[in-house]
Amino acid sequence: MGKKGKKQKTFQKEKELLEIENLKLQKREKLASIISAIVIMIVSVITAILKWLGLID
């Protein structure tokens, strides 16, 4: 295998590793957005209950 073949193989391997890292990052971002949506819903429910009870304006 010549130098060109080794460079191409190295480039392909680096590209695959970057794709794997990108997928991991996307999973983390997805999880973070789901968690933030859940937290926002919980806070809004608590706020609605407190308003209904007349504890906040």
Side-chain angles (χ1 to χ4, degrees):
M1 189 178 275
K3 286 184 180 181
K4 210 172 200 180
K6 287 182 182 179
K7 285 183 182 180
Q8 185 68 23
K9 192 173 185 180
T10 303
F11 177 74
Q12 185 67 23
K13 191 165 191 157
E14 288 176 358
K15 188 177 177 183
E16 289 172 4
L17 289 173
L18 286 173
E19 287 176 3
I20 291 170
E21 287 299 316
N22 191 19
L23 289 174
K24 288 180 183 178
L25 181 62
Q26 286 177 356
K27 280 184 180 180
R28 282 187 229 125
E29 287 177 345
K30 192 179 201 179
L31 184 62
S33 66
I34 290 170
I35 291 172
S36 66
I38 291 170
V39 169
I40 290 170
M41 282 189 258
I42 290 171
V43 170
S44 63
V45 167
I46 291 171
T47 304
I49 291 171
L50 290 176
K51 281 186 176 187
W52 181 65
L53 293 174
L55 298 175
I56 60 173
D57 288 329

